[in-house]
Amino acid sequence: MRDAQPNTKYLKDYTAPAYWIDHTELTVELFDDYTDVTAQLRIRRNDELDAAGSLTLDGQELELLSVALDGNTLSAEQYQVGDESLTLSGLGDQHLLTIRNRIYPQNNTALEGLYRSGGMYCTQCEAEGFRRISYYLDRPDVMSEFTTHIIAADGQWPVMLSNGNKIADSVMEDGRRRVSWHDPFPKPCYLFALVAGDLRVLEDTFTTMSGREVALQIFVEPQNIDKTEYAMDALKRSMRWDEEVYGREYDLDVFMIVAVDDFNMGAMENKGLNIFNSSCVLANPATATDSTYLRIEAIVAHEYFHNWSGNRVTCRDWFQLSLKEGFTVFRDAGFSADMNSATVKRVEDVQMLRTVQFAEDGGPMAHPVQPDSFIEISNFYTVTIYEKGAEVVGMLHRLLGEEGFRKGSDLYFDRHDGQAVTIHEFVAAMEDANGIDLSQFKLWYKQAGTPVVEAASSYDADAQTLTLTLRQHTPDTPGQTDKQPLWIPLALGLLDAAGNDMPVQVEPAEAWTASSQVLHLREAEQTFVFHNVSERPELSLLRHFSAPVKLEYQQSPEQLLFLLQHDTDGFNRWDAGQKLMLHWIEQARSGSFSLSDAEQTALVSLLQDDQLDKSMLSYLLNLPSESYVAEFSAPVDPAAIHHARETVRLAIANTLLPHLAERYQQLQSPVAYQPEPQQMAQRALKNLVLSYWALVSSDGVTAAQAQFEQADNMTDQMAALLSLVNYGSDEQADAALASFYQQWQHDTLVVNQWLSVQAGSSRRATVASIEQLLQHEAFDWRNPNKVRSVLGVFANQALVSFHQSDASGYALLADAIIKLNGINPQMASRLLTPLTRWKRLIPELSALMRAQLERIQSQEDLSKDVYEVVSKSLS
Ligand code: PHE
Ligand code: ZN
């Protein structure tokens, strides 16, 4: 155990910095074994503060070489070097501070700061990585204009990049090359970036709405140049969309994206120089699946949109992280919804929210969208900050309407351009632009936990009224009790017996769409009365998932089936289907499950439907995942969930069997692969059909084998591989895996998918097989994508295999976390997530999991990242 407990930081302790850094001139000299950094900082006293002329800079793992003030080198007595700081005192109003230090990028396995990935140098500074490059005020409210010089042996790194525009490129007298960049927009250092490598580039241009031409460049390692086209296309569409929907124009002459293999997260929005995990940017039809294409489209857009929501207007402190992340996720979701099916996008987002975010909100790491404390900020890049944050912005959009929301966002960008602000300013702009009081609404940012809304309705045939009573409460979360009622927008509709929307008249409420209304639930309990309701209606509540709540409303399987067939809200059709399937799984657990005739007929007609979007159909016909089911059961018994779900799957597949071969044939496409929505939808449905077919019929397995051999795109090849691995004979599964590896061993991203197929298969993944994968030549502890593909997938998806009754699955994960704690603390901490759920498991498993957490806690030298999650989980 560590002797000194890491400090907790509190939002309430925020104070402005003692100095500003108006200009930062950084010279980075790359040598083979080390890198020297010279920072010339023009500092100015913050006269709003009664500062004592003392300045403490952040620094981590830096070898200090020299400090000079206004050109005079200081002696070591004139400053104090702490473990993670450099302090100067007796300072005046303004100085030029020059600091030289040495770093060792090749030894940097944490992937924060400047590091080597494959054959290149790259940086990752958010949240607090810049302090591993140079001593600095590493906090987002210090915004500085950056000039960067990169120096290296001439010819060694043909491409040397930093933020902004390139201003000089020359060979110096000593024969080394020096490339200089200038970024005119003041920015916090977390948006700094630097790249050097032997890279290829795809180039294009974009003309902005005011007619400026912007150069677009995507840099990759040479072998990947044929995988850049789609990202470029997505980038141009994002730029256009942000102009059209938000009125936001790009502001520099060049916009660059760089792909790197070793990256802790998905991508990073550094000003003018986005750095991407290669898995989130590289694609061609042969190597990337449709879902990879969709992910690339969303992430390219997300990072691009940050140029305004994040960079031009940034965060005052890290407690405001959702200010940029929640808003930007909301923006990228709008973009994806416009590019593809809006309903499907909503379904995917809600699936993720319910399985991952609700679990977080109900566990030991629960925190508000605006947290009030943390130990390690890296632990707060969470689904709550991102996805719940986006839901909160989505509710604002729902409350204000399209136009009102746009007025608010315009005001926000105008008012705060060039500033570092808080969530309060964002909401205030929405209030001021719309003349609305959002004080109660702001509780969404302050209160953790998923609110529960209970609904009860009664119909009075004589009075022709429907009475709906809604009650809300938000459960206690660590450090928070006695929560206040939230402002919950609840969209709903009433369906008549034929499945048509009935005109709804209710007070108080407002029209949302022609057929739906939004009720504003603002008290702990409220009753709404609908008038002129001519027949007993079926209620469709929480349409489009209008608020991130758990809705409790009693509906029979017959009512759910009716909604699945008739609801005019696409999201609620899906949701009714999922509830029905959860009910089936529940029945299967108690041994009393069979599909009624009506249910069987409905399934078959969905399979054969040719009106609905095929992607939607594939969601309607797919069972909720095991982790989704787990979220709806307490205590969680993973093996029981798995077996019950398999029972239901088998029943569905057998019901559909007479029609599967024909439907599969119909869904084949003679057209060449394109990553476009209609084709993707058709493939999604075809491959779902294939998986049901292969589950119950050897003809299906034969079809999978043929598809595996003939596929000209990864979507079909991967789907066939999954079917063979999960439903083929052992020999077929082994052979398919071997041939796939043989074919793709030189493509690291495809190999990651190959690892995931094995690690996530309940049938194949055993503790022994995971250990083998960890020994495989394709595995690398230092590469986060590999770690996620094996360990992340195993612990989050192969539930029966992970939750072994002898604790071997838990022990394997704990060993990996202990190992990674020393290599890459952020990765180690992220892998802990499944272990934080121990309290929800059945007692036998719960105790075993807790024991593994305690074992981790007892290790020496725990990183802050791991320490925080483990100690909160055990308290
Ligand atoms: N800010 C990045 C994004 O959401 C995520 C990120 C955080 C990347 C921290 C790296 C490190 O777009
Ligand atoms: Zn982001």
Side-chain angles (χ1 to χ4, degrees), residues 124 126 265 267-269 302-303 306 324-325 381 386:
Q124 175 50 46
E126 187 178 6
M265 309 277 275
M268 179 63 211
E269 70 265 22
H302 178 97
E303 305 312 329
H306 268 315
K324 72 178 178 80
E325 296 304 347
Y381 286 77
Y386 278 68

Side-chain angles (χ1 to χ4, degrees), residues 26 59 135 201 206 370 425 433 469 472 627 755:
L26 214 60
Y135 284 102
V201 61
F206 178 85
Q370 182 184 61
E425 271 81 49
T469 301
Q472 62 161 306
S627 19
L755 292 168

Side-chain angles (χ1 to χ4, degrees), residues 384-399:
T384 298
I385 301 292
Y386 278 68
E387 272 70 29
K388 186 175 180 180
E391 291 297 320
V392 174
V393 176
M395 286 188 287
L396 278 175
H397 186 272
R398 210 155 280 128
L399 294 178

